Amino acid sequence: MKRVSLFFGLALDAAEPWARQTASVVGLALALLTAWVMPSTEFVIPEAAWAAVAAVCLITLAAFVVPWAKLPHGWRLLVPLATMLAFGVFRMGTGGPQSLFTSLILLPLIWIATEPGRRNAWLGAITSSVSILMPYLLGVLPWADEQVVRAAFTPLIFLVVATVVNELARRARAQVEVAKALADERAKRLEESRANEAALAASREQHAAAEAFFRSLWEAKLHAVMAVTDNDGTLIEWGPGGDALLGRPRDEVVGTHRFTDLVAPDSLEAIGANGPSGFGRFVEAASSTGSAGLSAEMLRADGTLLTVRLTCSPRHDASGEVVGCIFIAHDITELKEASRLKDEFVGGVSHELRTPLSSILGYLELAQDPESGPLTDEQRKYLGVAERNAHRLLTLVGDLLFVAQVDAGKMPLKRARLDLGDLLDTSIERLLPTAQRASVSLVLERSETPLTIDADPVRLGQAIDNLISNGVKFTPAGGTVRVSARRTDGHVVIAVADTGMGIPADEMKRLFTRFFRATTATRQAVPGVGLGLNITRAIVTAHGGEMSADSVEDEGTTFEIALPVIGSSPGDGPGWGERGTASE
């Protein structure tokens, strides 16, 4: 941005020397025109006058051709200084103190005075003094001439003029800097405003697109009930799935119903959510089930029930404060029916398989009876293989029937007070031959103080057998399976730890899933169908206990069963001792 000139059209910033020299050239041209028009004006020393004119022309030419931009800025002052001296010679040639053209000296003086710095004002004043005193300095006029006083006084006036111009130029330059800074700031703010407007417009477009997208998803969710509530449970938004699955349109329920008003009373009662604080308890139950969801029944408009899997998530405002809940309920009627049919099928098939398997085992036993006739060694071997596989198949059928009973909630338990140590002894004795054949050490650590529990000895024995059997099966020869029992906070904890192949960390969450087998087991072709741990946990859960597992791949696995203990005082301390090992 070019700055505004203040005096004689001269720019205050770094204008080109030829542009600033224009004022001096124009002034000299007017002087020559005046001398030509006014015959009374005479060139007292024509040679000096025309020499000065020639000098100004050469100086002006230099102002055009010299590459001043490549030189330090101070070098530009040579142009006005030389011009001022040339005007002094021109004044001397046109009458000296009597010349009409003394004022020409002001033109380059003003150029010099407009440059930044007080020294330039003094430099211009000193040069103007030299120019005015030129006749005396060159001996054209004697110093005794009375006009010398005038010649000495005029530079003082020029110094005042130069100082005033220099100060005005400084102030004008400062004002221009402020104006430029304000203009730059305004341009910056304007650009920021335009950028903000563009960003806001883009944000509005994105918001509108996102809103349309989520609205489309919301309206397309016809296979699930989606609801939004405030902290009191009052519905503030209701998805179209509520109308499709429950026959309840949005206008009918929003603002007039709480979400729990649409849940069957039996489902609320099952989780204790039918009291004054029922909604909070319902939210807690639905949230604590995680991704699996809460199984519940919702009321259709016609009074029938819809079985759903329901999840709940908190709804936050812009500050992060919880202001309500978001419920999603998926219809699982068909899934529940399919599961029921599957369980019925497995139970039915398993039940039907037991009869022919029992018959097969009976006939195999008869075939191996000496009274049925002599058998060769090879025939006995074949019959032994068939009998072992039949027993294995019968065990599998029994497991499938047990799983079906668990799923149907019909696990029969015949509880009795029993000493856990005796139960562990029985399991160890039962599996000791298996451990010996596998060259695995089986170690029992039991409390010297009896640990009495209320449990079904058959089912709990089955659970303990499953864990010990798995430990032996998944431990290589030379390894150890260690069984122990201890009391902890009103519970007795049974631990079975092996030094086997372990379970990968990313598979631990699926460990108790039906038919799940770890990759470490499948890689080494360890036989099994993946029902043992599922059955064991079901038995433990039925006894009111908890089951956990910890494993490190290639180092071993530890399973723990925690059961309520009775008949012992808190002061009884465990005293451990080892008994019976099976080694290679």
Side-chain angles (χ1 to χ4, degrees):
M1 167 182 167
K2 291 293 183 181
R3 298 171 182 167
V4 182
S5 61
L6 297 178
F7 303 98
F8 304 103
L10 298 178
L12 292 179
D13 63 352
E16 292 296 329
W18 62 264
R20 292 197 173 194
Q21 182 67 4
T22 302
S24 298
V25 174
V26 172
L28 180 61
L30 291 175
L32 294 174
L33 179 63
T34 301
W36 181 68
V37 173
M38 298 177 61
S40 59
T41 304
E42 59 177 324
F43 286 5
V44 178
I45 307 176
E47 298 83 357
W50 289 112
V53 172
V56 171
C57 291
L58 290 175
I59 293 169
T60 302
L61 179 62
F64 273 94
V65 299
V66 173
W68 300 102
K70 298 181 179 180
L71 299 175
H73 185 79
W75 286 75
R76 301 183 181 204
L77 293 180
L78 292 176
V79 176
L81 290 173
T83 302
M84 190 182 298
L85 294 174
F87 280 163
V89 175
F90 184 77
R91 173 179 175 275
M92 181 180 67
T94 56
Q98 305 299 325
S99 176
L100 299 176
F101 307 114
T102 301
S103 59
L104 286 175
I105 297 175
L106 283 172
L107 297 177
L109 175 64
I110 291 174
W111 175 355
I112 297 172
T114 57
E115 292 293 324
R118 296 289 188 186
R119 68 175 181 273
N120 291 320
W122 284 94
L123 179 63
I126 292 171
T127 307
S128 66
S129 298
V130 173
S131 299
I132 292 173
L133 294 174
M134 191 75 71
Y136 304 99
L137 294 174
L138 296 179
V140 175
L141 294 175
W143 288 96
D145 185 52
E146 61 182 7
Q147 296 294 329
V148 72
V149 176
R150 179 182 177 185
F153 180 74
T154 300
L156 295 178
I157 301 300
F158 283 1
L159 174 61
V160 173
V161 172
T163 302
V164 172
V165 169
N166 185 268
E167 177 63 19
L168 292 176
R170 184 189 67 78
R171 294 184 180 182
R173 193 174 289 109
Q175 292 175 355
V176 169
E177 288 293 335
V178 172
K180 181 178 181 299
L182 292 175
D184 291 344
E185 182 67 19
R186 180 177 177 276
K188 180 181 177 181
R189 298 301 180 192
L190 183 60
E191 186 65 25
E192 290 178 353
S193 177
R194 290 174 178 170
N196 290 337
E197 289 180 0
L200 181 60
S203 177
R204 286 173 178 168
E205 292 180 0
Q206 292 177 356
H207 178 74
E211 185 176 4
F213 175 74
F214 285 113
R215 174 58 60 179
S216 300
L217 291 179
W218 179 269
E219 293 177 352
K221 197 77 171 178
L222 298 176
H223 61 282
V225 178
M226 300 180 65
V228 181
T229 73
D230 58 18
N231 282 327
D232 294 330
T234 302
L235 291 166
I236 61 174
E237 190 55 75
W238 184 253
D243 190 2
L245 296 177
L246 300 178
R248 298 181 183 273
R250 179 181 183 278
D251 296 339
E252 177 186 315
V253 296
V254 171
T256 61
H257 286 68
R258 302 177 73 194
F259 187 81
T260 48
D261 295 339
L262 307 179
V263 180
D266 290 345
S267 295
L268 296 175
E269 185 176 357
I271 58 175
N274 52 349
S277 59
F279 180 72
R281 179 69 188 93
F282 184 79
V283 170
E284 180 182 354
S287 302
S288 62
T289 54
S291 59
L294 173 68
S295 180
E297 291 182 327
M298 298 190 70
L299 298 169
R300 291 192 177 98
D302 59 5
T304 59
L305 299 178
L306 174 70
T307 304
V308 297
R309 183 71 66 181
L310 188 143
T311 58
C312 175
S313 300
R315 183 171 65 91
H316 301 88
D317 61 9
S319 64
E321 184 178 354
V322 177
V323 293
C325 299
I326 301 175
F327 291 96
I328 301 178
H330 292 274
D331 179 9
I332 60 169
T333 303
E334 294 183 359
L335 181 62
K336 186 176 181 181
E337 179 63 15
S339 178
R340 185 187 66 81
L341 293 175
K342 180 200 68 174
D343 293 339
E344 286 185 357
F345 173 77
V346 171
V349 170
S350 301
H351 186 271
E352 293 299 323
L353 285 174
R354 294 190 71 173
T355 301
L357 277 173
S358 298
S359 177
I360 291 172
L361 285 169
Y363 279 103
L364 286 172
E365 185 178 353
L366 288 174
Q368 297 179 79
D369 191 333
E371 295 182 0
S372 299
L375 295 174
T376 65
D377 291 340
E378 187 174 6
Q379 288 172 335
R380 290 186 180 279
K381 178 181 177 181
Y382 293 156
L383 289 174
V385 171
E387 184 178 22
R388 285 195 300 274
N389 282 283
H391 277 294
R392 183 179 176 187
L393 186 57
L394 186 61
T395 301
L396 177 59
V397 169
D399 289 343
L400 290 173
L401 284 172
F402 183 79
V403 169
Q405 288 178 331
V406 171
D407 290 340
K410 299 177 180 179
M411 182 191 297
L413 291 180
K414 297 180 180 180
R415 291 178 178 269
R417 293 171 65 92
L418 54 90
D419 180 13
L420 182 60
D422 294 338
L423 193 64
L424 294 178
D425 282 339
T426 302
S427 293
I428 291 294
E429 291 173 0
R430 185 162 41 240
L431 292 166
L432 196 57
T434 303
Q436 289 173 338
R437 286 194 298 270
S439 298
V440 173
S441 297
L442 188 56
V443 179
L444 172 63
E445 298 175 350
R446 59 172 295 181
S447 171
E448 294 180 357
T449 302
L451 298 176
T452 305
I453 59 174
D454 183 22
D456 184 329
V458 176
R459 292 303 183 190
L460 187 57
Q462 180 184 0
I464 296 172
D465 287 353
N466 282 344
L467 294 182
I468 298 175
S469 176
N470 278 350
V472 172
K473 182 166 58 174
F474 294 111
T475 300
T480 301
V481 176
R482 191 174 297 273
V483 183
S484 62
R486 69 182 186 276
R487 183 186 300 110
T488 304
D489 296 331
H491 286 76
V492 61
V493 178
I494 306 166
V496 178
D498 64 56
T499 58
M501 61 187 67
I503 302 166
D506 58 346
E507 297 180 6
M508 289 295 292
K509 60 183 178 181
R510 301 168 52 204
L511 189 58
F512 298 105
T513 305
R514 193 181 306 170
F515 301 112
F516 168 75
R517 303 198 69 218
T519 54
T520 49
T522 56
R523 282 199 302 264
Q524 299 188 33
V526 179
V529 293
L531 285 175
L533 290 178
N534 180 264
I535 291 173
T536 301
R537 188 174 66 168
I539 294 173
V540 173
T541 302
H543 281 82
E546 295 181 354
M547 185 173 177
S548 62
D550 184 36
S551 182
V552 177
E553 192 171 358
D554 297 326
E555 292 186 14
T557 304
T558 299
F559 288 95
E560 289 190 348
I561 297 174
L563 298 170
V565 62
I566 61 174
S568 57
S569 64
D572 294 337
W576 308 121
E578 292 192 6
R579 65 176 296 240
T581 64
S583 56
E584 297 183 36

